[in-house]
Amino acid sequence: MFAGLQSPAPARAMPYHEFYLDDFQPRDHYRPLWEHIRRAGQNLLAEKARDAHLALHTEGVTFTVYNDSEEGIERVWPFDLLPRIIPAREWDLLEAGLRQRIRALNLFLKDIYHGQRIIKDGVIPAELIYKGKDFQRHVLDVDPPHDIYTHISGVDLIRDIEGRYLVLEDNLRTPSGVSYMIENRIVERRILPEFFAHYRVRRVEHYPDLLLKALRHLSPRGADAAEIVVLTPGIYNSAYFEHTFLAKEMGVELAEGRDLVVKNNVVHLKTTRGLKRVDVVYRRVDDEFLDPLCFRADSALGVAGIMNAWRAGNVALVNAPGAGIADDKAVYAYVPEIIRYYLGETPILANVPTYQMTDPHDRELVLSQLEGMVVKAVAESGGYGMLMGPASTPEQRRDFTRRINEDPRNYIAQPVVPLSRHVCYLDGELESRHLDLRPFIIYGEDIDVVPGGLTRVAMTKGSLVVNSSQGGGSKDTWVLAD
Amino acid sequence: MLSRIAESVYWMSRFLERTDNTARLLDINLTHLLEADEAGSEELQWAPLLHIVAGNEVYQRIFPDGAVTGARMIRYMVQEKGNSGSIYAALKGARENARVARDRVSKEMWEALNEFWLQVDGHVTHRLSPERESVFFKHVRAEVARFHGLTVSTMLRGDAFSFYLLGTFLERADMTARILDVKYHRLLPDVAQVGSPLDYYQWGALLKSLSGFEAYRRHYHGGIRPLDVVDLVVFSRHFPRSLHFAVDRMTQAIQEIGTSQVDCAVCRALEGLSALLTARAPEEVVREGLHEFLTDYLDQLSTLHASLQNEYFEAHLGMEQCVI
């Protein structure tokens, strides 16, 4: 399946620019914004940038960066003033591609945890699944409500030098960022209301409503009797702001593991008036911490017995345990095949070419060209455990060569794709920076894709790393109505 | 509501009340120093404060020589991270608990508290200059007042609001009782001084630290008399920082919350406090010993706290044990 892969794109090729055409004229859909910025002048922009930062600071829109201290550092959400604009036509294609992908991945999960036809038919090697860290034996033959495993997904998209959207990775465990997508919009609307006058921007603020509807749909006691909780690891988690945001927006309890107790395979909340039955748990705690009786016995974040309650059909877990195997970076390479296999359709969105380090031919190719590669540990996320080839030192490359040879299943490599760029307002200047896009998909009664997503920006000049934990920023993302 | 969140709301308001009380105490003490220059050594002026906030032990750890000076006390009670009653630590505690209970506090409350915290967090790294001290304390008190105002006008009336009241009034009652105790017990060991100008300033300072000077003047026309001060600060049902007012508010809050316990220890603790206040008149209490009375009151407050802990915050922990 890797035939036809080109060698890495030469570093000289210019990345796609979202904002400008080749002659530094703005693209048509950016023209009204461009005119407006020119009229507004630098001083106004500087003032607005300050206002935006202050608003986020006061409101306490933060994320936590892990460091050596136990508490981590709480940082204000980084926000860039200038919105990214996606024309309606472009979005229609993305939306169709995302729906298709999530539908296929969900069917894949159902199959992997039931008959495993896809392995028997030789489409995916058994070893790839069984050795995946996120393949959970506890989930085999369990039927989650309505056969949905991936209720909430975030898919990271980038654009290649021709401007074609590619999927960089799928996030099917506990993808975060949706609250920041909404906060970006709230701040943008407040600080730059005049921008909106020139565009018809589709709204994103109803996301929590869609989410609540999808969660209610899963209740074992029916949507009308749904007691829902958001399960958080607590205030030191990097996405704690988001957990409170979602609980508050939906009007449901925000619980920690110690607030829940399982009795007779039924999950209960410990309230000031006694125990209260819980039907749906939107958990923002990873599988391995979810239930000390099944997974890590030393975890204090989870709830003892919650897996049994789930298996007995007494509670819905969102996303389903074990869903992580479908976003394993090694499985990722097979997603186009997965789409063809389950849906009989041609994938609408392409993958970034991916080399499997278990394949001796691929491995040799990658190790000989590490400077042009991005190497990722399959079990890591958030920009941890990565080698960025062009920015690496010889010592780092030697280190990764050793690590890859020691445990090839744990690594994949991709040629460096020069992410598209966009203008940002930085310290009084308009400068171009690389970015990606994470739209969010809710799988409930239907599949909903909120028109927009989280655009993450690499704030350091030339950098391709956009994660907020690595110093990245963000932009409001506008999908145009037509 | 969730037990843990109830506990966080309770502690949020206790810490905030503590922030306010500390700022009041320091501000009034500074003013008092300026007003009464014949009042003795620096140590004598500041040591009672340490006693009020029950901070001797921690203070000793931070300043092993034990010498009490104004500059040290300000640092200890404003910035010191190791002192849980310092403005910095108490406000941090309030904000941290509000963050935990963020789905229960209103957006307005959260933003006011977060903004307040950001200002104090910014301040705390450099030393407070003497000419800025009073401005800073007034600012702190204004911010707490703003928070209370926003709470009253934006927070949903329900269990969370009741726990907010419990935290506020328990902390306030505790501090009022301590201030009164120290004043009576330590500041004026010499009965002969009652009625002296020094006494006037000291009782005046006490009333001011409770925002009660004007209320006192309006209701008692016999000058500053200890018995009347005790009447206002302990027994009045209309003065918002009195011991009786606090008990009334806490009783109302518990009635709103309701209890599922057959034998309600929280109710018993509140009844005990109430009985303490209705059984006797001010004259009797002063004659039999105000210190003993206040000690009794403070003990019953801590019983109340323990039973809140037991009945509402740690409810059902036993069951968890059974399941595992």
Side-chain angles (χ1 to χ4, degrees), chain A residues 133 136 138 285-304 307:
Chain A
K133 180 174 76 70
Q136 306 291 8
H138 303 281
V285 170
D286 287 337
D287 282 0
E288 58 176 322
F289 301 105
L290 193 56
D291 186 341
L293 299 183
C294 270
F295 307 111
R296 285 176 60 153
D298 62 340
S299 167
L301 300 177
V303 185
M307 283 295 288

Side-chain angles (χ1 to χ4, degrees), chain A residues 366-367 369-371 373-376 383 385-405 411 465 470:
Chain A
V366 167
L367 291 178
Q369 307 178 30
L370 266 185
E371 282 179 89
M373 295 285 172
V374 182
V375 182
K376 297 174 181 172
M386 267 176 80
L387 176 81
M388 288 296 296
S392 64
T393 63
E395 191 187 331
Q396 285 168 330
R397 292 195 291 275
R398 272 197 302 279
D399 179 41
F400 265 81
T401 303
R402 181 181 53 75
R403 290 206 236 170
I404 290 168
N405 283 326
Y411 292 92
V465 181
Q470 312 289 325

Side-chain angles (χ1 to χ4, degrees), chain A residues 57-60 74 235-236 240-241 248 253-254 256 258-259 262 269-275, chain B residues 1-4 95 99-100 102-105 107 110-111 114-115 118 159 257 316 319-320 323:
Chain A
H57 202 52
T58 307
E59 213 186 307
E74 210 185 323
I235 64 168
Y236 299 128
Y240 181 72
F241 167 79
K248 201 170 168 131
E253 292 285 3
L254 179 65
E256 291 183 16
R258 57 195 157 117
D259 300 323
V262 178
L269 263 179
K270 296 179 201 166
T271 79
T272 51
R273 287 179 215 276
L275 297 183
Chain B
M1 70 186 293
L2 217 53
S3 299
R4 183 177 51 82
R95 194 246 183 194
R99 219 177 140 216
V100 169
R102 198 160 158 180
D103 60 329
R104 291 290 179 152
V105 302
K107 184 177 164 65
W110 162 254
E111 291 193 13
N114 191 48
E115 212 175 344
L118 291 168
D159 289 356
I257 294 167
H316 323 297
M319 286 187 199
E320 193 175 30
V323 176

Side-chain angles (χ1 to χ4, degrees), chain B residues 68-321:
Chain B
V68 178
T69 68
R72 277 182 173 188
M73 276 300 287
I74 299 263
R75 200 187 111 196
Y76 177 74
M77 291 181 66
V78 173
Q79 297 167 311
E80 184 53 54
K81 293 181 183 176
N83 167 19
S84 68
S86 74
I87 290 178
Y88 174 83
L91 190 55
K92 185 176 187 196
R95 194 246 183 194
E96 205 91 304
N97 278 288
R99 219 177 140 216
V100 169
R102 198 160 158 180
D103 60 329
R104 291 290 179 152
V105 302
S106 72
K107 184 177 164 65
E108 288 86 349
M109 289 162 71
W110 162 254
E111 291 193 13
L113 184 51
N114 191 48
E115 212 175 344
F116 182 19
W117 159 247
L118 291 168
Q119 292 156 358
V120 170
D121 191 28
H123 264 295
V124 85
T125 42
H126 35 252
R127 205 188 178 87
L128 208 55
S129 68
E131 62 276 17
R132 296 282 306 157
E133 282 164 355
S134 191
V135 175
F136 177 72
F137 298 138
K138 285 201 169 58
H139 175 72
V140 168
R141 291 172 58 182
E143 284 293 324
V144 175
R146 176 175 165 224
F147 182 85
H148 285 318
L150 287 169
T151 303
V152 167
S153 58
T154 64
M155 192 178 190
L156 187 73
R157 295 306 193 267
D159 289 356
F161 186 76
S162 299
F163 283 108
Y164 153 82
L165 289 178
L166 282 167
T168 302
F169 283 100
L170 201 139
E171 182 73 22
R172 185 178 297 176
D174 184 87
M175 188 61 102
T176 300
R178 283 172 194 282
I179 293 175
L180 193 57
D181 191 29
V182 168
K183 162 67 192 157
Y184 212 80
H185 196 56
R186 292 182 46 117
L187 286 189
L188 259 190
D190 182 4
V191 184
Q193 282 210 27
V194 171
S196 72
L198 173 62
D199 199 36
Y200 168 82
Y201 283 111
Q202 290 192 346
W203 285 109
L206 179 140
L207 285 169
K208 283 176 190 161
S209 71
L210 298 171
S211 298
F213 191 78
E214 290 163 36
Y216 182 87
R217 282 299 201 201
R218 187 161 294 280
H219 280 275
Y220 304 91
H221 304 294
I224 306 277
R225 297 194 317 167
L227 207 61
D228 289 341
V229 174
V230 169
D231 187 49
L232 178 77
V233 171
V234 176
F235 292 99
S236 169
R237 302 188 93 138
H238 307 288
F239 175 51
R241 308 193 79 85
S242 82
L243 301 187
H244 206 160
F245 191 91
V247 172
D248 284 351
R249 285 295 173 281
M250 290 192 284
T251 306
Q252 279 170 17
I254 282 296
Q255 279 163 359
E256 292 282 333
I257 294 167
T259 176
S260 53
Q261 312 280 322
V262 185
D263 177 30
C264 167
V266 172
C267 309
R268 267 189 284 122
L270 277 165
E271 281 157 18
L273 280 162
S274 189
L276 205 57
L277 293 160
T278 45
R280 275 170 296 178
E283 297 79 10
E284 230 177 310
V285 166
V286 172
R287 194 171 54 241
E288 289 168 13
L290 183 62
H291 174 66
E292 287 68 25
F293 173 84
L294 292 170
T295 307
D296 213 1
Y297 185 88
L298 285 167
D299 282 350
Q300 297 210 29
L301 270 186
S302 48
T303 307
L304 174 61
H305 168 75
S307 36
L308 282 171
Q309 185 84 19
N310 207 28
E311 282 185 20
Y312 294 99
F313 306 152
E314 281 165 8
H316 323 297
L317 283 184
M319 286 187 199
E320 193 175 30
Q321 302 301 323

Side-chain angles (χ1 to χ4, degrees), chain A residues 98-134:
Chain A
L98 292 167
R99 278 175 199 276
Q100 179 193 51
R101 197 164 173 104
I102 294 303
R103 239 173 354 122
L105 287 171
N106 200 68
L107 289 169
F108 167 72
L109 283 164
K110 187 182 173 194
D111 184 26
I112 285 301
Y113 290 116
H114 289 83
Q116 304 183 335
R117 274 195 304 131
I118 196 165
I119 296 175
K120 288 169 190 145
D121 288 346
V123 179
I124 277 190
E127 186 202 42
L128 202 70
I129 302 301
Y130 294 137
K131 286 196 176 165
K133 180 174 76 70
D134 293 293

